[in-house]
Amino acid sequence: MKRLLSLLLAIASLAAQAKEDPAHRKAMIEQHKAIAAAHQAAAQCLSSGKDEEACHAELANACKGLAIGKLCGAKHKH
């Protein structure tokens, strides 16, 4: 029964992906690239020797209106 349910969910998922709007897909790709660029800039900031607070402030500024959360939705442990 679990296999049947898994198969049905997989088929439904594939069908949903097949109907995806190309413009939406392109927008999502661009959004992910922008988020990645913001995080790359934060990594470079930290690598340059600036303190974490300053780099996070720059990241928060870059992420405004870009993604969920002030750091583009990224959560990791310290």
Side-chain angles (χ1 to χ4, degrees), residues 3-4 9 12 15-16 21 24 27 37 39 46 51 56-57 74-76:
R3 287 184 181 174
L4 178 60
L9 288 173
D21 177 25
H24 174 74
H39 282 273
L46 290 167
D51 69 359
H56 276 190
K75 293 183 180 181
H76 53 87

Side-chain angles (χ1 to χ4, degrees), residues 1-76:
M1 187 64 169
K2 286 184 182 180
R3 287 184 181 174
L4 178 60
L5 181 58
S6 295
L7 179 61
L8 290 174
L9 288 173
I11 291 170
S13 176
L14 289 173
Q17 288 176 358
K19 295 177 184 178
E20 184 178 20
D21 177 25
H24 174 74
R25 182 173 176 81
K26 184 176 180 180
M28 288 293 96
I29 291 168
E30 294 305 316
Q31 183 180 26
H32 281 282
K33 285 181 179 179
I35 292 168
H39 282 273
Q40 182 63 34
Q44 290 173 341
C45 178
L46 290 167
S47 294
S48 74
K50 289 185 182 179
D51 69 359
E52 187 175 13
E53 188 175 315
C55 294
H56 276 190
E58 290 178 20
L59 179 59
N61 190 44
C63 289
K64 285 183 183 171
L66 185 60
I68 296 171
K70 71 177 189 175
L71 301 179
C72 292
K75 293 183 180 181
H76 53 87

